[in-house]
Amino acid sequence: MVLTKEQQAILDGAEGEVKARVMETVVRYGELFGAQRLVPVTSKYNHLVTSFGLKMMTPVFDLMQQLIDAGAVSGQKFSVDPRPLDKNVPANFLQKLIFNKFMYSKQDSYEAQLKSLGLIDDNAFTCTCYMDEVGNKPQRGEVLSWAESSAVVYANSVLGARCNRNSGIIDIMGSIAGYVPEFGLLTDEGRKATWIVEIKTSKKPEAQLLGSAIGMKVMEEVPYIKGLDKWLGTELDDAACTYLKDFGAATASNGAVGLYHVENLTPDAKELGESLIKEGARVYVIDDAELKRVYDSYPVIWKNADATPKLCFMGCPHMSLEQLKSWTDRLDKALAETGNKKVVIPTVFTSSPAVIAEFEKTDFAAKLKNMGVIVSYICPLMYMNNPLCGKMPVITSSNKLRTYTTARYYTDDEILAQITGGNCK
Ligand code: F3S
């Protein structure tokens, strides 16, 4: 790798020993992927994936402390993934004991470290940092040092920023160094599609199911999706962005997609069209039968497949304001039809603290609460990682949560029917 004079000086210790080691980490990381040079991180804010004070992460806490003690903090403030705990989310005595004593016992001290390192504020705990209410929304072409997979794929695809699927810790290293290695999704060539996906469904495909199908097929490659603009339109309005948020998270977790292009909709595809497709790209056709095949292929790993669900999680990734409002309306209508006043399965909607604050200013908030739904800023995955929670029959419309935990996936309509006591297939 060829470094500039400034980069070499940092590596040689001009800004201290700790920063030199940070730079060395970034350089070695780049060399592993064949990067020829480092490029500046240009976004206003960074985003970190590691938000949880898990007891066993002592090396991470030590590393953070070394950075703080050496003053090797980034010029960039940052948001971070959601908190793992919220007392409003139902948990029994034993589950709470495990959360507080054995799992996230370092949460308070870790959050103090995050503040010292440059956390924006308490509202910045969310994976959807790019929502307007949160404010960490990169511009097209900006270079990022993020790692949260659902945020990386959104930033690359919907916002047109440039970021690789980095790992935790590498995200903060790039931000402190001020540089990231140039390879993969940072390059024009790496952003070209090696798959063409043709959507031929008879109705708007479920975002999380479509994302799952594409993720499992293309894995870490870049798909160019045709036919989705028929259902989403050609403008990135709230509804399209919300759809792509959920769709992208499923592509990134069921596969390892870091960037997708939607014809006539996402910024790179709008500007460059089919010139983004590499010669020899393979074709994947998705119709109703293919979506059904993917849905039917999900294993049910509950101990008793017929168990009555004990909890429902919606909002992984965190829900948008529009999603919270539209789900309030949908629930209201569905409950009126079933004659129930409240949801019949304990239900948690998760969203960012900033979006929740906006939601609470509306009449929808009281309505949703009266229907028995809990709104929380938690990360459902962190909740499900508690072995006692993992044993519970939990349902979700998140394909990311399905992939990483024992939670069972249902489509939005099926979830609605289940939690309101209506008929489900
Ligand atoms: Fe966000 Fe946690 Fe899901 S970080 S995408 S709510 S697993």
Side-chain angles (χ1 to χ4, degrees):
M1 190 182 300
V2 180
L3 299 183
T4 63
K5 250 196 216 155
E6 294 76 25
Q7 293 163 352
Q8 188 64 48
I10 298 172
L11 188 64
D12 292 342
E15 296 185 21
E17 192 200 334
V18 171
K19 194 142 177 203
R21 281 159 62 190
V22 169
M23 188 57 129
E24 189 185 346
T25 307
V26 173
V27 170
R28 285 203 189 172
Y29 170 54
E31 282 171 350
L32 279 176
F33 287 92
Q36 302 290 309
R37 60 176 189 155
L38 299 179
V39 290
V41 174
T42 56
S43 58
K44 181 172 180 195
Y45 297 116
N46 193 26
H47 180 82
L48 301 188
V49 71
T50 318
S51 61
F52 42 90
L54 202 58
K55 204 175 176 182
M56 63 168 77
M57 291 192 341
T58 313
V60 172
F61 307 138
D62 291 349
L63 176 74
M64 294 295 205
Q65 201 52 48
Q66 279 186 46
L67 294 171
I68 294 164
D69 292 346
V73 294
S74 157
Q76 280 187 310
K77 285 194 167 271
F78 55 81
S79 48
V80 64
D81 267 4
R83 285 182 161 129
L85 296 171
D86 177 359
K87 61 177 172 19
N88 296 317
V89 176
N92 63 31
F93 175 76
L94 278 179
Q95 288 168 334
K96 279 184 192 157
L97 190 73
I98 290 186
F99 276 133
N100 295 317
K101 294 270 176 259
F102 299 103
M103 292 182 71
Y104 305 118
S105 56
K106 302 281 181 206
Q107 191 63 25
D108 289 348
S109 54
Y110 182 58
E111 287 192 15
Q113 286 187 321
L114 289 175
K115 278 181 190 142
S116 301
L117 276 167
L119 178 69
I120 297 171
D121 57 28
D122 266 359
N123 272 341
F125 282 94
T126 178
C127 46
T128 57
C129 60
Y130 44 79
M131 296 266 173
D132 288 334
E133 296 83 355
V134 188
N136 183 359
K137 187 175 192 170
Q139 303 290 309
R140 184 155 187 230
E142 284 185 342
V143 174
L144 322 179
S145 181
W146 294 8
E148 162 54 44
S149 66
S150 68
V152 167
V153 73
Y154 189 92
N156 273 320
S157 313
V158 182
L159 304 177
R162 294 193 169 210
C163 185
N164 277 314
R165 279 177 55 108
N166 304 300
S167 64
I169 304 302
I170 285 290
D171 50 9
I172 190 148
M173 294 288 157
S175 179
I176 291 173
Y179 298 100
V180 283
E182 188 185 47
F183 68 91
L185 300 176
L186 263 54
T187 67
D188 289 346
E189 197 56 22
R191 295 175 73 85
K192 288 201 169 157
T194 47
W195 278 92
I196 299 167
V197 179
E198 293 176 1
I199 310 291
K200 296 190 171 167
T201 52
S202 62
K203 57 179 188 179
K204 184 175 172 181
E206 193 84 9
Q208 300 258 8
L209 188 54
L210 181 66
S212 164
I214 294 176
M216 288 198 277
K217 176 65 81 179
V218 312
M219 294 312 291
E220 77 283 6
E221 296 185 41
V222 178
Y224 186 94
I225 304 159
K226 297 182 174 191
L228 194 54
D229 54 327
K230 175 179 169 191
W231 304 107
L232 301 187
T234 54
E235 293 305 321
L236 285 168
D237 54 16
D238 276 353
C241 288
T242 294
Y243 184 100
L244 294 177
K245 160 182 79 74
D246 291 339
F247 162 80
T251 66
S253 54
N254 285 226
V257 174
L259 164 69
Y260 57 81
H261 303 294
V262 179
E263 193 169 60
N264 299 323
L265 183 59
T266 53
D268 288 14
K270 265 195 159 177
E271 185 193 329
L272 301 164
E274 292 198 7
S275 67
L276 282 169
I277 302 172
K278 269 194 176 173
E279 211 178 309
R282 283 168 286 177
V283 177
Y284 177 33
V285 177
I286 298 187
D287 55 13
D288 298 345
E290 175 62 0
L291 286 183
K292 184 175 181 315
R293 183 194 66 77
V294 170
Y295 183 112
D296 290 342
S297 73
Y298 298 149
V300 178
I301 49 177
W302 291 359
K303 205 168 168 197
N304 170 11
D306 299 322
T308 305
K310 277 220 165 113
L311 190 62
C312 169
F313 268 123
M314 300 285 285
C316 168
H318 276 171
M319 288 167 103
S320 66
L321 185 59
E322 279 316 302
Q323 247 173 333
L324 284 171
K325 288 183 184 171
S326 62
W327 267 95
T328 306
D329 281 339
R330 289 182 77 180
L331 276 173
D332 195 32
K333 217 168 139 228
L335 282 172
E337 280 166 16
T338 61
N340 290 317
K341 289 216 157 30
K342 289 180 184 282
V343 287
V344 297
I345 296 169
T347 299
V348 180
F349 284 2
T350 62
S351 186
S352 67
V355 167
I356 294 173
E358 283 307 308
F359 181 64
E360 277 169 358
K361 291 179 193 160
T362 71
D363 297 339
F364 291 88
K367 220 172 168 185
L368 189 61
K369 194 172 176 196
N370 287 338
M371 291 188 282
V373 174
I374 295 160
V375 179
S376 168
Y377 49 73
I378 202 176
C379 166
L381 175 58
M382 298 293 129
Y383 176 95
M384 294 296 291
N385 279 347
N386 181 329
L388 293 184
C389 299
K391 281 189 183 149
M392 291 185 345
V394 173
I395 58 171
T396 182
S397 70
S398 165
N399 231 321
K400 179 169 180 176
L401 200 60
R402 175 196 71 80
T403 306
Y404 294 139
T405 74
T406 55
R408 189 164 174 179
Y409 170 82
Y410 286 98
T411 64
D412 282 353
D413 285 348
E414 289 167 340
I415 291 275
L416 186 67
Q418 291 207 47
I419 63 180
T420 57
N423 288 329
C424 178
K425 63 173 194 156

